[in-house]
Amino acid sequence: MADNATLVDIVEGCRLPVLRKNQENEDEWPLAEILSVKEIPGRKLYYVHYIDFNKRLDEWVTPDRLDVKKLQFPKKEAKTPTKNGLPGSRPSSPEREVRKSLDLNLQTATAPSRGKTLPTPKRKAESVSLATQASPATPVPSLPSSAEASQASVYPAVRDTNTFNPKSRDDHDQLSLTTNGTARRLIPSQPGRKRKANCGGADEMIKVLQFNNPRSTSVYLPPQEDSQDSSDGIPSAPRMTGSLVSDRSHDDIVTRMKNIDCIELGRHRLKPWYFSPYPQELTTLPILYLCEFCLKYLKSLKCLQRHLTKCNLRHPPGNEIYRKGTISFFEIDGRKNKTYSQNLCLLAKCFLDHKTLYYDTDPFLFYVMTEYDSKGFHIVGYFSKEKESTEDYNVACILTLPPYQRRGYGKLLIEFSYELSKVEGKTGTPEKPLSDLGLLSYRSYWSQTILEILMDLKPDNGERPQITINEISEITSVKKEDVISTLQYLNLINYYKGQYILTLSEDIVDGHERAMQKRHLRIDPKCLHFTPKDWSKRGKW
């Protein structure tokens, strides 16, 4: 196919199948878009983005991997009808003229006076959040209103749990969307019972927690009196914006392409996944060298060796607020350690795509996790958070470096962020959107944390133990919306005899126990030495 590729003029924007290896090391031909073409002595190279694949798989390919027989040229944009030779104009109509005059009057009435400008945020922020694609906002399951909950609180003293027949569901069973967008049937219909269309607040109650596992007990979840929800009692879906969320409006061909081939950081060589705005003169180097302690970037090994003779750092700057075994956490103020914070953001942007990188790190705190050996404290990952968050965000960006992924460090970072929230006395949630890897990590953490609490509940005086959504949120510092969406994702919420119940099957219990056996890295609150600051007082900055 190489000869055909040279005969056909393949330009940017073309689409065609491209040969690549899948996870099973088998050949496949996914459709890809040509983002750039460059010539090197003797041949051409094409930078391709595989359609419906993550951008971290984008790469330079040779012509012999292109299937030019199925080449699709970029479509030309349709032009609007012209009038008097002026492109884009259309014949006007009286209705359009009247509408235009009304719009102008409305704009005049609402426009600010001349010479005054509306204040715009000047703050620019750091880099980005865990590594990939966000899921759409998760719909939250409807929970009973306070009136319905109090009515349902009369619970029979003896009940046969085996009398429920799943075949009694009718065609009007309620369907609830899970976090991945698939519909799950959560609420079985009861004969002769009409379900209310509008159910109320998130923290009201999930009436009964029933374990199908005979080893476990059932848990009664009473309604909560003091609701902190919005006026209508329904929790809003997670906000898909944040201090560092990329609106994608700045995207162009340059930022869509990886610009660094390889990074050497200590004993590791990393292949970047995404674009990062390192200085232009460094992007042509085969290897970019970083000091693993201060993260300064250098253009050659000799420059790095010379730098190491002068660099006195053997750990990140800032305060060590946690140490257990070889794991340490350092708190770094983005205002006091600007150079380190900016270098950390540049490195993180190589592996994070859904946030924006700026250079004013003043409004942020950085928590860097390190692993200690005889040579010093080596960076494993980090997360950042705003000093003041109006949206209860406890994480802005979170990243585990690729050499340390799939070893439990990501969940350890998440657990540490919630331990800080517990000390602060707040509930928190990560900035949205989460990357695909970030979403997987958070879902796993939320699931294990909530199941751990539910399975530890003990019967009280022979009765079913009681817990509310708010109590789960207060114990874990996980925001209520995240608690509810996790219960829904696990398909635990059911509706039975006028009550909401959580049903834990043996599969869920066994799966949770297996997962917890593999989770060796945990945060020990006794090893945390952290005093929260009131950042609303500007003197603290």
Side-chain angles (χ1 to χ4, degrees):
M1 296 185 185
D3 296 336
N4 292 335
T6 56
L7 295 175
V8 180
D9 187 15
I10 300 177
V11 296
E12 295 172 1
C14 288
R15 293 189 175 194
L16 74 171
V18 177
L19 176 65
R20 69 180 296 272
K21 297 284 187 182
N22 61 17
Q23 290 181 338
E24 286 76 30
N25 205 31
E26 299 170 347
D27 290 349
E28 62 179 6
W29 293 84
L31 185 65
E33 180 183 353
I34 305 294
L35 297 185
S36 183
V37 183
K38 72 176 180 181
E39 290 193 31
I40 59 175
R43 60 176 177 171
K44 278 186 177 181
L45 291 178
Y46 301 90
Y47 192 85
V48 298
H49 166 63
Y50 298 103
I51 309 299
D52 296 329
F53 284 70
N54 192 278
K55 278 171 57 178
R56 62 174 171 266
L57 299 177
D58 295 1
E59 59 181 337
W60 290 99
V61 300
T62 52
D64 59 318
R65 292 174 58 184
L66 307 179
D67 185 1
V68 295
K69 294 177 182 178
K70 299 179 181 178
L71 180 65
Q72 304 172 16
F73 287 98
K75 296 178 181 179
K76 295 182 179 179
E77 295 182 2
K79 294 183 179 179
T80 54
T82 60
K83 176 187 176 186
N84 299 329
L86 297 175
S89 61
R90 294 186 297 173
S92 61
S93 67
E95 290 180 4
R96 291 181 67 238
E97 295 298 332
V98 171
R99 196 178 302 118
K100 188 185 297 182
S101 64
L102 289 174
D103 291 343
L104 287 175
N105 292 336
L106 182 62
Q107 290 176 9
T108 306
T110 59
S113 58
R114 182 178 296 274
K116 294 182 179 179
T117 57
L118 295 175
T120 56
K122 293 184 178 179
R123 183 187 70 203
K124 295 181 178 179
E126 53 110 356
S127 128
V128 199
S129 153
L130 242 158
T132 47
Q133 224 158 54
S135 73
T138 305
V140 208
S142 298
L143 298 180
S145 63
S146 54
E148 189 177 355
S150 58
Q151 182 182 359
S153 61
V154 180
Y155 189 81
V158 180
R159 174 170 76 85
D160 184 4
T161 57
N162 296 322
T163 57
F164 172 63
N165 181 10
K167 294 182 180 178
S168 64
R169 296 176 177 174
D170 61 17
D171 293 336
H172 301 286
D173 286 356
Q174 179 170 338
L175 291 178
S176 181
L177 287 178
T178 63
T179 48
N180 59 5
T182 58
R184 289 184 176 178
R185 200 176 290 271
L186 292 184
I187 303 180
S189 287
Q190 299 300 319
R193 182 186 301 276
K194 290 187 178 180
R195 211 173 286 115
K196 293 185 180 181
N198 251 346
C199 293
D203 55 345
E204 290 298 348
M205 76 149 206
I206 299 179
K207 185 71 171 66
V208 179
L209 222 177
Q210 173 197 354
F211 293 78
N212 280 347
N213 187 351
R215 295 172 294 171
S216 309
T217 58
S218 302
V219 183
Y220 167 80
L221 292 121
Q224 201 141 355
E225 294 179 1
D226 300 326
S227 173
Q228 301 298 323
D229 274 337
S230 56
S231 57
D232 58 1
I234 301 175
S236 57
R239 197 171 77 103
M240 301 302 287
T241 56
S243 60
L244 301 175
V245 172
S246 171
D247 60 3
R248 320 304 289 170
S249 61
H250 65 283
D251 271 3
D252 53 31
I253 289 296
V254 173
T255 59
R256 288 179 67 188
M257 295 170 52
K258 304 172 194 173
N259 58 336
I260 304 292
D261 289 332
C262 182
I263 292 176
E264 184 171 304
L265 179 68
R267 62 179 180 271
H268 301 292
R269 283 198 174 176
L270 316 176
K271 295 286 288 185
W273 296 350
Y274 307 109
F275 171 88
S276 183
Y278 279 103
Q280 180 68 32
E281 60 270 19
L282 302 179
T283 59
T284 58
L285 301 174
I287 299 177
L288 178 63
Y289 295 88
L290 265 62
C291 171
E292 63 175 327
F293 300 114
C294 71
L295 302 183
K296 179 181 174 66
Y297 46 84
L298 303 118
K299 62 182 181 180
S300 68
L301 182 59
K302 180 171 276 190
C303 291
L304 175 63
Q305 291 169 345
R306 190 163 56 241
H307 165 79
L308 290 175
T309 60
K310 296 180 283 186
C311 182
N312 297 321
L313 277 180
R314 287 297 174 265
H315 59 78
N319 300 322
E320 185 180 8
I321 61 174
Y322 178 90
R323 180 188 291 185
K324 184 176 183 182
T326 59
I327 300 296
S328 293
F329 279 86
F330 290 82
E331 182 184 54
I332 297 159
D333 190 329
R335 183 183 70 84
K336 296 178 180 177
N337 300 280
K338 282 189 179 182
T339 302
Y340 181 89
S341 301
Q342 290 172 359
N343 290 338
L344 177 60
C345 295
L346 285 169
L347 172 62
K349 185 63 183 73
C350 291
F351 306 99
L352 304 171
D353 186 41
H354 284 79
K355 297 291 180 80
T356 306
L357 186 147
Y358 293 114
Y359 296 97
D360 181 7
T361 58
D362 287 15
F364 291 89
L365 294 169
F366 299 82
Y367 295 89
V368 178
M369 179 168 63
T370 62
E371 201 172 48
Y372 175 76
D373 65 13
S374 57
K375 295 183 179 179
F377 294 81
H378 308 279
I379 180 171
V380 171
Y382 90 105
F383 69 89
S384 61
K385 63 188 288 187
E386 290 180 282
K387 294 175 180 175
E388 296 180 89
S389 175
T390 58
E391 302 289 337
D392 294 330
Y393 291 136
N394 64 351
V395 165
C397 304
I398 182 167
L399 170 71
T400 305
L401 291 175
Y404 299 95
Q405 290 177 0
R406 302 185 64 83
R407 291 165 57 181
Y409 289 115
K411 208 164 288 178
L412 197 68
L413 281 167
I414 295 172
E415 185 178 3
F416 189 78
S417 70
Y418 281 108
E419 285 298 329
L420 296 184
S421 295
K422 290 177 186 177
V423 176
E424 293 169 347
K426 301 176 182 177
T427 59
T429 188
E431 273 191 11
K432 311 300 187 300
L434 287 169
S435 62
D436 55 355
L437 300 182
L439 182 61
L440 287 173
S441 297
Y442 267 96
R443 268 186 189 162
S444 176
Y445 173 80
W446 289 332
S447 300
Q448 292 179 9
T449 304
I450 293 171
L451 287 173
E452 203 170 16
I453 289 175
L454 298 182
M455 292 175 62
D456 285 344
L457 291 173
K458 305 296 181 186
D460 186 17
N461 296 328
E463 296 184 0
R464 303 175 187 276
Q466 302 183 10
I467 194 168
T468 64
I469 295 292
N470 264 0
E471 287 172 347
I472 295 175
S473 180
E474 289 170 7
I475 293 170
T476 61
S477 283
V478 177
K479 208 168 182 182
K480 283 186 297 184
E481 289 81 359
D482 296 331
V483 173
I484 295 170
S485 66
T486 302
L487 293 173
Q488 187 180 19
Y489 171 73
L490 294 172
N491 201 17
L492 300 184
I493 301 180
N494 288 276
Y495 189 79
Y496 180 66
K497 290 188 177 180
Q499 304 162 358
Y500 283 83
I501 64 173
L502 300 181
T503 306
L504 294 185
S505 65
E506 287 193 29
D507 290 341
I508 290 179
V509 173
D510 293 341
H512 172 70
E513 289 175 349
R514 285 195 303 270
M516 296 307 292
Q517 288 172 1
K518 297 177 183 176
R519 190 172 163 188
H520 304 297
L521 294 174
R522 299 298 298 268
I523 294 296
D524 185 355
K526 297 176 183 177
C527 299
L528 176 63
H529 304 281
F530 170 70
T531 304
K533 294 181 181 178
D534 182 8
W535 294 103
S536 61
K537 298 175 182 177
R538 309 307 288 186
K540 295 282 186 181
W541 287 52

